[in-house]
Amino acid sequence: MNKKLLAPVLLSCLATLGLSSTAAVHAADTPQASPDPARWYQADDTPKARLRNLNQETAAAYAEALAACKSLKGKEAAACRHEAQQARKDDTARAKRIHDDYERSLKDDS
């Protein structure tokens, strides 16, 4: 290969590598746009705490579903809200079943 071409190519590769590593370091310093909710990292060792955590997740999912419905109008919005309410009822029932199963498993272990 021609040595006159090799030097500029090598320099541009090194410059690109330096810029990309600087960008990666800078990206690591910036906070995330939407960090995980703190409740994801709270221990739910007791049945009551576990149910509270499940209910918080249910409420958050319902709020997101309602926010998605706001862009709709008329019958579509009403149907969307009804679907969100039905999903919340189902999620709440599922949370209750999980809670009951968890309590039952703790009693069986004792």
Side-chain angles (χ1 to χ4, degrees):
M1 181 177 240
N2 191 346
K3 290 183 181 181
K4 290 181 181 180
L5 291 177
L6 185 59
V9 169
L10 184 58
L11 279 174
S12 64
C13 287
L14 288 174
T16 303
L17 180 62
L19 288 175
S20 64
S21 65
T22 302
V25 168
H26 179 65
D29 290 341
T30 57
Q32 291 180 333
S34 60
D36 294 338
R39 66 182 177 273
W40 289 3
Y41 302 103
Q42 293 172 351
D44 56 357
D45 298 338
T46 65
K48 185 177 179 180
R50 192 166 196 178
L51 181 61
R52 183 177 53 247
N53 195 3
L54 290 170
N55 285 333
Q56 286 176 333
E57 292 296 329
T58 299
Y62 180 63
E64 284 183 18
L66 286 181
C69 294
K70 289 188 180 201
S71 64
L72 303 174
K73 300 210 185 271
K75 289 182 180 179
E76 288 179 341
C80 183
R81 285 191 302 271
H82 177 70
E83 188 176 310
Q85 289 170 346
Q86 188 60 45
R88 184 170 190 185
K89 280 175 80 172
D90 294 344
D91 289 346
T92 302
R94 187 175 305 113
K96 180 72 172 133
R97 282 193 311 272
I98 290 170
H99 170 261
D100 293 345
D101 290 344
Y102 186 60
E103 274 193 327
R104 202 173 303 115
S105 72
L106 289 177
K107 288 177 183 175
D108 291 344
D109 290 343
S110 332

